[in-house]
Amino acid sequence: MRTGAWSWVLVVLGLWAGVVEAQPLVGPSVGNADLLMAEGSRLYNTRQYEEAAESFLKATRVRPEALGAYLGLARARFGANQLVESYLAYRAYMKAAPGSPERTKAEKELELCERKLKSARQMTVVEVRVSGHVDKKATFFSVLEQKRIVGEGSAAEVLRALVDAGYLGPDLGEMAGRLHTTVGETLGALHRRALGGQAPKPEEAASVRALYALAREVGAPLAEEASRAPFLEGMAALAAGQHARAQELLAEAAQAEPERSEYRRLRAEALYRAGDVAGALTEMEAHFPNDSRTAFLRAEAALGRSAREGAQELEALFFQRYFSPGR
């Protein structure tokens, strides 16, 4: 195998390792917000505070605009004596719910939490956490603007670090939404270029599955994944001379989206480049019987069988092309 092919394989394996280990970050893939809220309330009422906090935390990830989840999280964490985390959850709630009927009560609870933190000399920990969140948010928007979406130092990596660091707030949904939109735009541009004959570069093809996985992690799956992912990888394989792999991927794409005639035509091209003239002809005759390329394939296939059959096909092609009615 050529060095370039090996490097492509290594990139693919590296990205897939990240995809396999990754867990949903924000949005419907995390779970059902209503069920998580209900479970959190049930656990809180039975004084299972740590378990309740986990449910409320997931609810904030599923639906970052759900203000009740932050208040439930703050109270559950306070009950579990997780004072720093409780304070941050109260702060997220207070910032996002200026007109809430529970605000007055929540303010008193926040004050109590703050007094306990000061008594335990932990306010510095809070300040360091908040400062880290601010820095990570700034980095996220910076790398997203540069269209660094997946991989080391990417927007996906920074967003995951922000979530892992315990960041809370409705703007988490905005960040996830912008990342999801950018993923869709990037894949859409790759698809349009590939349809126009510009195959994805190896590194672009290697990132396709990771991009579709990221769309699920920060929102909802992209509907066209089943067809476009193998199509883009198939086009890259075709450009790299990996014709057998290309025809497999393009067949998968065509099966997933049969109305896309381009996928079938390109599969026939991959078969032809792999030396399977008969297979390419079968594909073209089944889906493009009147295409001029099908006629040339018939002639080539006939030449492969015998000179006489080839001559007959070439003669038919010649008269059809130059002496057909109306010419």
Side-chain angles (χ1 to χ4, degrees):
M1 184 181 289
R2 298 191 306 274
T3 302
W6 268 116
S7 64
W8 183 10
V9 169
L10 291 174
V11 171
V12 172
L13 290 175
L15 284 168
W16 264 107
V19 172
V20 170
E21 295 173 4
Q23 297 296 319
L25 290 174
V26 183
S29 296
V30 177
N32 183 299
D34 294 331
L35 292 178
L36 287 165
M37 288 278 286
E39 180 66 4
S41 297
R42 183 190 70 79
L43 291 165
Y44 181 84
N45 291 333
T46 56
R47 299 187 179 184
Q48 299 179 67
Y49 298 124
E50 290 188 18
E51 294 83 355
E54 284 297 315
S55 288
F56 283 125
L57 178 61
K58 286 183 179 179
T60 69
R61 301 289 184 236
V62 178
R63 198 183 295 161
E65 72 280 6
L67 304 182
Y70 297 104
L71 187 55
L73 176 61
R75 288 170 173 166
R77 283 176 164 176
F78 187 85
N81 202 37
Q82 299 170 354
L83 298 180
V84 171
E85 290 78 9
S86 176
Y87 182 85
L88 293 172
Y90 274 120
R91 286 283 301 270
Y93 173 77
M94 300 299 287
K95 183 178 179 181
S100 170
E102 292 198 70
R103 184 177 178 85
T104 301
K105 184 179 179 181
E107 283 177 344
K108 293 178 180 179
E109 293 169 357
L110 174 58
E111 289 171 3
L112 175 60
C113 184
E114 187 172 353
R115 286 199 300 271
K116 284 181 172 288
L117 281 170
K118 287 178 178 178
S119 176
R121 298 182 179 180
Q122 287 189 295
M123 283 305 294
T124 301
V125 177
V126 172
E127 292 167 3
V128 170
R129 286 274 193 96
V130 171
S131 177
H133 294 165
V134 171
D135 290 344
K136 285 183 176 65
K137 281 179 64 177
T139 301
F140 170 83
F141 287 111
S142 175
V143 295
L144 184 63
E145 186 70 24
Q146 299 167 36
K147 299 295 176 67
R148 291 162 55 192
I149 307 172
V150 292
E152 185 177 355
S154 66
E157 188 178 78
V158 176
L159 184 63
R160 184 169 294 283
L162 195 58
V163 169
D164 290 344
Y167 180 74
L168 299 167
D171 55 346
L172 191 64
E174 177 194 349
M175 287 186 279
R178 287 186 59 176
L179 183 54
H180 191 277
T181 297
T182 303
V183 167
E185 291 172 348
T186 300
L187 288 165
L190 280 175
H191 185 254
R192 288 191 296 274
R193 293 206 308 267
L195 286 176
Q198 184 179 343
K201 298 174 183 177
E203 62 272 19
E204 291 174 329
S207 72
V208 166
R209 301 282 178 173
L211 286 169
Y212 277 113
L214 178 58
R216 294 192 296 274
E217 292 163 24
V218 298
L222 296 174
E224 69 278 3
E225 178 179 357
S227 61
R228 291 192 182 184
F231 167 67
L232 291 169
E233 291 174 339
M235 287 296 289
L238 190 61
Q242 299 169 348
H243 302 131
R245 178 62 177 153
Q247 71 89 7
E248 290 174 2
L249 287 163
L250 291 167
E252 182 183 340
Q255 184 175 5
E257 194 175 356
E259 62 273 18
R260 279 279 188 186
S261 60
E262 301 98 321
Y263 297 169
R264 295 192 179 280
R265 184 186 63 75
L266 287 163
R267 182 186 179 235
E269 181 179 341
L271 286 164
Y272 181 79
R273 290 194 191 183
D276 187 357
V277 177
L281 177 58
T282 298
E283 185 78 9
M284 292 295 289
E285 284 186 324
H287 303 285
F288 311 97
N290 300 319
D291 193 296
S292 61
R293 287 163 290 200
T294 306
F296 279 103
L297 276 173
R298 288 194 194 101
E300 185 168 345
L303 281 168
R305 292 191 296 271
S306 72
R308 181 176 179 180
E309 284 189 54
Q312 290 174 339
E313 283 291 340
L314 286 171
E315 182 180 10
L317 176 61
F318 176 79
F319 279 98
Q320 179 185 5
R321 187 172 179 83
Y322 295 104
F323 295 98
S324 58
R327 292 188 69 89

